[in-house]
Amino acid sequence: MSTAQETAGGELQPWAEVTPDAARRLLVAAVEAFAERGYHATTTRDIAGRAGMSPAALYIHYKTKEELLHRISRIGHEKALDILRTAGGRPGSPAERLADAVSSFVRWHAGGRTTARVVQYELDSLGADARAEIIALRRQVDAEVRAIIEDGVAAGDFDVPDVPGTTLAVLSLCIDVARWFNVDGPRTPEMVGDLYADLVLRMVGADRRERSGADGQK
């Protein structure tokens, strides 16, 4: 499966927000190259070659290699934030919302693992201004998950002595899926999402009834 067609919980990721087509092709090629070789080992010639274009054509759409990485990272983080905001804003108990957030976030990292690896693990390759923008988006991602956990604690549904630390653990668990998930392995993104949702509900001390209710909502 190509990077342009990777799934995230069944949703196609064609980078439709990137136009024109030549700019999209270059961005997809950059994702593949960065994931395979790393940002610093990838040249603009590598990216242009994967896109079937000349190196000079790249500079028509992107001034630098870093601009490509910045755009990939921004779009990816905005998508991740939208996934979590949708889950956090849905009706239901904190356990149901947390299970939905985790399963959706995990499916995105598994189904779009090539993109997610670049989005999550190349932050330090960005310059100061671009890095600051992405860090701000990451803080919003953190805030969405933390708010759901805080709601569960306030309602007496969760037993979490350290909400910030638990939030970090939950996000780290989900993000790491992009590193190890294998599309040819025995588990689908949906299966991993359901497994991790259950693990996280156990982590926050949701009782069996809350876990069963969350399972019924997925």
Side-chain angles (χ1 to χ4, degrees):
M1 180 182 294
S2 70
T3 301
Q5 295 177 318
E6 282 186 335
T7 61
E11 179 184 358
L12 288 177
Q13 293 274 331
W15 299 92
E17 59 271 87
V18 181
T19 57
D21 180 68
R24 186 191 66 82
R25 285 165 50 203
L26 286 163
L27 185 140
V28 169
V31 170
E32 293 172 347
F34 294 157
E36 181 181 317
R37 306 187 62 185
Y39 174 79
H40 292 293
T42 298
T43 66
T44 53
R45 184 176 295 274
D46 293 332
I47 295 168
R50 285 173 182 262
M53 301 165 69
S54 70
L58 185 147
Y59 296 106
I60 296 174
H61 303 283
Y62 302 99
K63 294 178 181 178
T64 64
K65 183 176 70 168
E66 185 192 343
E67 184 180 337
L68 264 167
L69 177 61
H70 182 205
R71 191 164 191 193
I72 292 163
S73 190
R74 186 177 66 247
I75 292 172
H77 279 87
E78 288 172 348
K79 176 61 179 176
L81 181 57
D82 180 65
I83 288 169
L84 293 173
R85 279 180 173 163
T86 298
R90 61 167 284 186
S93 70
E96 290 167 348
R97 290 158 51 216
L98 184 59
D100 187 28
V102 169
S103 61
S104 300
F105 203 47
V106 166
R107 290 198 307 272
W108 185 77
H109 282 83
R113 64 206 172 282
T114 305
T115 298
R117 282 200 299 271
V118 176
V119 168
Q120 299 293 3
Y121 296 116
E122 289 287 0
L123 176 63
D124 289 339
S125 298
L126 292 169
D129 291 344
R131 189 172 185 273
E133 180 185 350
I134 300 307
I135 287 174
L137 286 169
R138 288 193 177 209
R139 286 174 179 155
Q140 292 179 62
V141 166
D142 179 279
E144 291 297 325
V145 175
R146 186 171 65 249
I148 300 173
I149 296 175
E150 287 173 343
D151 285 349
V153 172
D157 295 340
F158 299 163
D159 180 13
V160 182
D162 182 349
V163 172
T166 301
T167 300
L168 177 61
V170 169
L171 288 171
S172 298
L173 189 69
C174 296
I175 288 168
D176 193 57
V177 171
R179 181 186 58 78
W180 63 259
F181 185 79
N182 181 358
V183 69
D184 296 319
R187 298 181 188 271
T188 65
E190 291 74 19
M191 292 168 66
V192 180
D194 288 346
L195 171 63
Y196 275 44
D198 182 68
L199 291 173
V200 167
L201 290 180
R202 293 172 186 272
M203 182 189 300
V204 299
D207 67 29
R208 186 182 299 274
R209 287 172 301 174
E210 286 290 336
R211 297 201 304 272
S212 298
D215 287 342
Q217 291 292 319
K218 289 183 287 183

